[in-house]
Amino acid sequence: DAKTTQPPSMDCAEGRAANLPCNHSTISGNEYVYWYRQIHSQGPQYIIHGLKNNETNEMASLIITEDRKSSTLILPHATLRDTAVYYCIVRPTSNTGKLIFGQGTTLQVKP
Amino acid sequence: GAVVSQHPSWVICKSGTSVKIECRSLDFQATTMFWYRQFPKQSLMLMATSNEGSKATYEQGVEKDKFLINHASLTLSTLTVTSAHPEDSSFYICSARDGVAGVNEQFFGPGTRLTVL
């Protein structure tokens, strides 16, 4: 599975957009980019995933570069409840692909 | 989204006892379930993958005789920590994938905090 690199921590002001970067320079053509987050002492929560095109849902937007070697998760209007560890994971499209978690980015949203 | 539950949410036990943790998919059939372990201030570590009706596949370094996994139905998987010791104290998290409907996302349970005295 491709490895991902994320900054260990980031701060964001409440109400502002939070942009979380992820590098996955060794990603293969059959691998999706997934984003999960984990609020303290809870199970991870699925946010969004994508293959090549940018994606948007009610939680966030995912911007994937044209060469697919990096991506950015955007929380458009961060709230205090968005404080969590955010994990960027690449996984094969096949049903046997496992989610392997790296260290993630700890996002602290401040008032 | 799909809901995965775990029971119990926390457990305290004496060293040497066995502890069973249940993971249920509440509104979908989970052909594949995963078990993770998370120590304080660390990321999730995948322990094993289980497919309904077959033996679990354990990750390297995880003792299959210590962490018994049973996935007897499409909605239930159990993890039994046998002869637990203080170093087994951790946050255990399961996840389930809805393979039957062709959905590829993995949904996580709320976790079970195990403390071994």
Side-chain angles (χ1 to χ4, degrees):
Chain A
D1 293 343
K3 290 185 178 178
T4 62
T5 304
Q6 299 177 253
S9 64
M10 292 181 64
D11 288 345
C12 177
E14 188 179 18
R16 303 298 293 269
N19 298 288
L20 292 94
C22 179
N23 285 323
H24 30 80
S25 58
T26 59
I27 193 170
S28 300
N30 69 339
E31 289 180 317
Y32 278 94
V33 179
Y34 280 79
W35 283 84
Y36 282 79
R37 72 180 183 184
Q38 186 180 26
I39 295 170
H40 183 62
S41 294
Q42 296 183 24
Q45 176 189 22
Y46 166 81
I47 300 174
I48 200 167
H49 75 282
L51 184 62
K52 287 190 291 188
N53 299 322
N54 298 336
E55 303 287 345
T56 295
N57 62 21
E58 64 278 3
M59 286 183 70
S61 294
L62 173 61
I63 308 298
I64 302 175
T65 58
E66 195 169 335
D67 63 9
R68 301 186 70 237
K69 293 186 176 182
S70 65
S71 60
T72 301
L73 178 75
I74 302 172
L75 307 179
H77 305 287
T79 70
L80 298 179
R81 286 180 291 184
D82 291 322
T83 293
V85 180
Y86 287 77
Y87 296 99
C88 167
I89 304 168
V90 294
R91 199 194 84 183
T93 55
S94 73
N95 259 347
T96 58
K98 299 178 284 192
L99 285 175
I100 305 298
F101 286 76
Q103 294 307 305
T105 295
T106 299
L107 175 68
Q108 181 74 47
V109 180
K110 298 186 174 181
Chain B
V3 179
V4 176
S5 70
Q6 283 185 240
H7 178 79
S9 55
W10 58 270
V11 56
I12 302 173
C13 70
K14 292 182 179 179
S15 185
T17 61
S18 293
V19 175
K20 180 185 284 188
I21 302 170
E22 293 185 350
C23 175
R24 293 181 185 272
S25 57
L26 298 185
D27 50 2
F28 66 99
Q29 293 182 320
T31 52
T32 305
M33 286 186 169
F34 304 85
W35 286 95
Y36 292 81
R37 179 167 57 178
Q38 186 175 32
F39 293 109
K41 297 190 184 301
Q42 294 187 23
S43 186
L44 286 79
M45 186 195 80
L46 180 64
M47 299 174 68
T49 302
S50 74
N51 292 296
E52 184 264 338
S54 62
K55 288 184 179 180
T57 302
Y58 291 81
E59 295 297 305
Q60 193 171 9
V62 178
E63 300 174 58
K64 62 180 181 180
D65 294 330
K66 181 168 183 62
F67 299 99
L68 302 179
I69 293 172
N70 184 283
H71 190 167
S73 79
L74 285 172
T75 60
L76 173 64
S77 175
T78 60
L79 167 69
T80 301
V81 184
T82 62
S83 187
H85 291 285
E87 58 265 30
D88 298 321
S89 298
S90 188
F91 193 47
Y92 291 87
I93 307 169
C94 75
S95 70
R97 189 157 63 207
D98 183 352
V100 174
V103 176
N104 218 8
E105 285 78 11
Q106 224 169 288
F107 302 98
F108 286 80
T112 297
R113 188 160 302 281
L114 169 64
T115 302
V116 185
L117 302 177

Coordinates of all heavy atoms in Angstrom, one line a residue, chain A residues 30-69:
Chain A
N30 N -4.6 2.3 -9.3 CA -5.8 1.7 -8.8 C -6.1 2.0 -7.4 O -6.9 1.3 -6.7 CB -5.7 0.2 -9.0 CG -4.7 -0.4 -8.1 OD1 -3.8 0.2 -7.6 ND2 -4.8 -1.7 -7.8
E31 N -5.5 3.0 -6.8 CA -5.6 3.4 -5.4 C -6.4 4.6 -5.2 O -6.2 5.7 -5.9 CB -4.3 3.5 -4.7 CG -3.6 2.1 -4.6 CD -2.2 2.3 -3.9 OE1 -1.5 3.2 -4.2 OE2 -2.0 1.4 -3.0
Y32 N -7.4 4.5 -4.3 CA -8.2 5.7 -4.0 C -7.5 6.4 -2.8 O -6.7 5.9 -2.1 CB -9.6 5.2 -3.4 CG -10.6 5.0 -4.5 CD1 -10.8 3.7 -5.0 CD2 -11.4 6.0 -5.0 CE1 -11.8 3.4 -5.9 CE2 -12.4 5.7 -5.9 CZ -12.6 4.4 -6.4 OH -13.5 4.2 -7.3
V33 N -7.9 7.7 -2.7 CA -7.5 8.5 -1.5 C -8.7 8.6 -0.6 O -9.7 9.1 -1.0 CB -7.0 9.9 -1.9 CG1 -6.6 10.7 -0.7 CG2 -5.8 9.8 -2.9
Y34 N -8.5 8.2 0.6 CA -9.6 8.2 1.7 C -9.2 9.2 2.8 O -8.0 9.3 3.1 CB -9.8 6.8 2.3 CG -10.6 5.9 1.5 CD1 -10.1 5.2 0.4 CD2 -12.0 5.7 1.8 CE1 -10.9 4.3 -0.3 CE2 -12.8 4.8 1.1 CZ -12.2 4.1 0.0 OH -13.0 3.3 -0.7
W35 N -10.2 9.8 3.3 CA -9.9 10.7 4.5 C -10.9 10.2 5.6 O -12.1 10.1 5.4 CB -10.2 12.1 4.2 CG -9.0 12.8 3.5 CD1 -8.8 12.8 2.1 CD2 -7.9 13.5 4.0 NE1 -7.6 13.5 1.8 CE2 -7.1 13.9 3.0 CE3 -7.6 13.9 5.4 CZ2 -5.9 14.7 3.2 CZ3 -6.5 14.6 5.6 CH2 -5.6 15.0 4.5
Y36 N -10.3 10.0 6.8 CA -11.1 9.7 8.0 C -10.7 10.7 9.1 O -9.6 11.2 9.0 CB -10.8 8.3 8.5 CG -11.5 7.2 7.7 CD1 -11.1 6.7 6.5 CD2 -12.7 6.6 8.2 CE1 -11.7 5.7 5.8 CE2 -13.4 5.6 7.6 CZ -12.9 5.2 6.3 OH -13.5 4.2 5.7
R37 N -11.5 10.8 10.1 CA -11.0 11.6 11.2 C -11.4 10.9 12.5 O -12.4 10.1 12.5 CB -11.6 13.0 11.2 CG -13.1 13.1 11.5 CD -13.6 14.6 11.5 NE -15.0 14.7 11.9 CZ -15.6 15.9 11.9 NH1 -15.0 17.0 11.5 NH2 -16.9 15.9 12.2
Q38 N -10.7 11.2 13.6 CA -11.0 10.5 14.8 C -11.0 11.6 15.9 O -10.0 12.2 16.2 CB -9.9 9.4 15.1 CG -10.2 8.7 16.4 CD -9.2 7.6 16.7 OE1 -8.0 7.7 16.3 NE2 -9.6 6.6 17.4
I39 N -12.2 11.7 16.5 CA -12.3 12.6 17.6 C -11.9 11.8 18.8 O -12.1 10.6 18.9 CB -13.8 13.1 17.7 CG1 -14.1 14.0 16.5 CG2 -14.0 13.9 19.0 CD1 -15.5 14.4 16.3
H40 N -11.3 12.5 19.8 CA -10.7 11.8 21.0 C -11.6 10.7 21.6 O -12.8 11.0 21.8 CB -10.4 12.9 22.0 CG -9.7 12.3 23.2 ND1 -8.5 11.7 23.1 CD2 -10.1 12.2 24.5 CE1 -8.1 11.3 24.3 NE2 -9.1 11.6 25.2
S41 N -11.0 9.5 21.7 CA -11.6 8.4 22.3 C -12.9 7.9 21.6 O -13.7 7.3 22.2 CB -12.0 8.7 23.8 OG -10.9 8.9 24.5
Q42 N -12.9 8.1 20.3 CA -14.0 7.6 19.5 C -13.4 6.8 18.3 O -12.2 6.9 18.0 CB -14.9 8.7 19.0 CG -15.6 9.5 20.0 CD -16.5 10.6 19.4 OE1 -17.0 10.5 18.3 NE2 -16.8 11.6 20.2
G43 N -14.3 6.1 17.6 CA -13.9 5.4 16.4 C -13.7 6.4 15.3 O -14.3 7.4 15.3
P44 N -12.9 6.0 14.3 CA -12.7 6.9 13.1 C -14.1 7.1 12.4 O -14.9 6.2 12.3 CB -11.7 6.2 12.3 CG -11.0 5.3 13.2 CD -12.0 4.9 14.2
Q45 N -14.2 8.3 11.8 CA -15.4 8.6 11.0 C -15.0 8.9 9.6 O -14.0 9.6 9.3 CB -16.0 9.9 11.6 CG -17.2 10.4 10.9 CD -17.7 11.8 11.4 OE1 -16.9 12.5 12.0 NE2 -18.9 12.1 11.1
Y46 N -15.7 8.3 8.7 CA -15.4 8.5 7.2 C -15.8 9.9 6.9 O -16.8 10.4 7.3 CB -16.3 7.5 6.4 CG -16.3 7.8 5.0 CD1 -15.3 7.4 4.1 CD2 -17.5 8.4 4.4 CE1 -15.4 7.7 2.7 CE2 -17.5 8.7 3.1 CZ -16.5 8.3 2.2 OH -16.6 8.6 0.9
I47 N -14.9 10.5 6.0 CA -15.2 11.9 5.6 C -15.5 11.9 4.1 O -16.6 12.3 3.7 CB -14.0 12.8 5.9 CG1 -13.7 12.9 7.4 CG2 -14.4 14.2 5.3 CD1 -12.5 13.7 7.7
I48 N -14.5 11.4 3.3 CA -14.7 11.5 1.9 C -13.6 10.6 1.2 O -12.6 10.3 1.8 CB -14.5 13.0 1.4 CG1 -15.1 13.3 0.0 CG2 -13.1 13.4 1.5 CD1 -15.2 14.8 -0.3
H49 N -13.8 10.3 -0.1 CA -12.8 9.6 -0.8 C -12.8 10.0 -2.3 O -13.9 10.5 -2.7 CB -12.8 8.1 -0.6 CG -13.9 7.4 -1.3 ND1 -15.2 7.4 -0.9 CD2 -13.9 6.7 -2.5 CE1 -16.0 6.7 -1.7 NE2 -15.2 6.3 -2.7
G50 N -11.7 9.8 -3.0 CA -11.7 10.1 -4.4 C -10.6 9.3 -5.1 O -9.7 8.8 -4.5
L51 N -10.8 9.3 -6.4 CA -9.8 8.6 -7.3 C -8.9 9.6 -8.1 O -7.7 9.6 -8.0 CB -10.5 7.6 -8.2 CG -9.6 6.7 -9.0 CD1 -8.7 5.8 -8.2 CD2 -10.4 5.9 -10.0
K52 N -9.6 10.4 -8.9 CA -8.9 11.3 -9.8 C -9.6 12.7 -9.7 O -8.9 13.7 -9.6 CB -8.9 10.9 -11.2 CG -8.0 9.7 -11.5 CD -7.9 9.4 -13.0 CE -9.2 8.9 -13.6 NZ -9.0 8.5 -15.0
N53 N -10.9 12.7 -9.7 CA -11.6 14.0 -9.7 C -11.7 14.6 -8.3 O -11.7 13.8 -7.3 CB -13.0 13.8 -10.4 CG -12.9 13.3 -11.8 OD1 -12.0 13.7 -12.5 ND2 -13.8 12.4 -12.1
N54 N -11.9 15.9 -8.3 CA -12.2 16.5 -7.0 C -13.6 16.0 -6.5 O -14.5 15.8 -7.4 CB -12.2 18.0 -7.1 CG -10.8 18.5 -7.5 OD1 -9.8 17.8 -7.3 ND2 -10.8 19.7 -8.1
E55 N -13.8 15.9 -5.2 CA -15.1 15.5 -4.7 C -15.5 16.4 -3.6 O -14.7 17.0 -2.9 CB -14.9 14.1 -4.1 CG -14.4 13.0 -5.0 CD -15.5 12.6 -6.1 OE1 -16.6 12.9 -5.9 OE2 -15.1 11.9 -7.1
T56 N -16.8 16.5 -3.5 CA -17.4 17.3 -2.4 C -18.6 16.6 -1.8 O -19.4 16.0 -2.6 CB -17.9 18.7 -3.0 OG1 -16.7 19.4 -3.4 CG2 -18.6 19.5 -1.9
N57 N -18.8 16.7 -0.5 CA -20.0 16.2 0.2 C -20.3 17.2 1.2 O -19.8 18.3 1.3 CB -19.8 14.8 0.7 CG -18.7 14.6 1.7 OD1 -18.3 15.6 2.4 ND2 -18.2 13.4 1.9
E58 N -21.3 16.8 2.1 CA -21.8 17.7 3.1 C -20.7 18.0 4.2 O -20.9 19.0 4.9 CB -23.0 17.2 3.8 CG -22.9 15.9 4.5 CD -22.9 14.6 3.6 OE1 -22.9 14.8 2.4 OE2 -22.8 13.5 4.2
M59 N -19.7 17.2 4.3 CA -18.7 17.4 5.3 C -17.5 18.2 4.8 O -16.9 19.1 5.5 CB -18.2 16.1 5.8 CG -19.2 15.3 6.7 SD -18.4 13.8 7.4 CE -17.2 14.5 8.5
A60 N -17.1 17.9 3.6 CA -15.8 18.4 3.1 C -15.6 18.4 1.6 O -16.5 17.8 0.9 CB -14.6 17.7 3.8
S61 N -14.5 19.0 1.1 CA -14.1 18.8 -0.3 C -12.8 18.2 -0.3 O -11.9 18.4 0.6 CB -14.1 20.2 -0.9 OG -15.4 20.8 -1.0
L62 N -12.5 17.4 -1.4 CA -11.3 16.8 -1.6 C -10.7 17.2 -2.9 O -11.4 17.0 -3.9 CB -11.4 15.2 -1.5 CG -10.2 14.4 -1.9 CD1 -9.1 14.7 -0.9 CD2 -10.6 12.9 -1.9
I63 N -9.5 17.8 -2.9 CA -8.9 18.3 -4.1 C -7.7 17.4 -4.3 O -6.8 17.3 -3.5 CB -8.4 19.7 -3.9 CG1 -9.6 20.6 -3.5 CG2 -7.8 20.2 -5.3 CD1 -10.7 20.7 -4.4
I64 N -7.7 16.7 -5.5 CA -6.6 15.8 -5.8 C -5.8 16.4 -7.0 O -6.4 16.8 -8.0 CB -7.1 14.4 -6.2 CG1 -7.9 13.8 -5.1 CG2 -5.9 13.5 -6.6 CD1 -8.6 12.5 -5.4
T65 N -4.5 16.5 -6.9 CA -3.7 17.1 -8.0 C -3.8 16.3 -9.2 O -4.1 15.0 -9.1 CB -2.2 17.3 -7.6 OG1 -1.7 16.0 -7.2 CG2 -2.1 18.3 -6.4
E66 N -3.5 16.9 -10.3 CA -3.6 16.1 -11.6 C -2.7 14.9 -11.7 O -3.1 13.9 -12.2 CB -3.3 17.1 -12.8 CG -3.7 16.6 -14.1 CD -3.6 17.6 -15.2 OE1 -3.7 18.8 -14.9 OE2 -3.5 17.2 -16.4
D67 N -1.5 15.0 -11.1 CA -0.6 13.8 -11.1 C -0.9 12.9 -9.9 O -0.3 11.8 -9.8 CB 0.9 14.3 -11.0 CG 1.2 15.0 -9.7 OD1 0.3 15.1 -8.8 OD2 2.3 15.6 -9.6
R68 N -1.9 13.2 -9.1 CA -2.4 12.4 -8.0 C -1.4 12.1 -6.9 O -1.6 11.3 -6.1 CB -2.9 11.0 -8.6 CG -4.0 11.1 -9.6 CD -4.5 9.7 -9.9 NE -5.3 9.2 -8.8 CZ -5.0 8.0 -8.3 NH1 -4.0 7.3 -8.7 NH2 -5.7 7.5 -7.3
K69 N -0.3 12.9 -6.9 CA 0.7 12.7 -5.9 C 0.4 13.4 -4.6 O 1.2 13.2 -3.6 CB 2.1 13.1 -6.5 CG 2.5 12.2 -7.6 CD 3.9 12.5 -8.0 CE 4.4 11.5 -9.1 NZ 5.8 11.7 -9.6

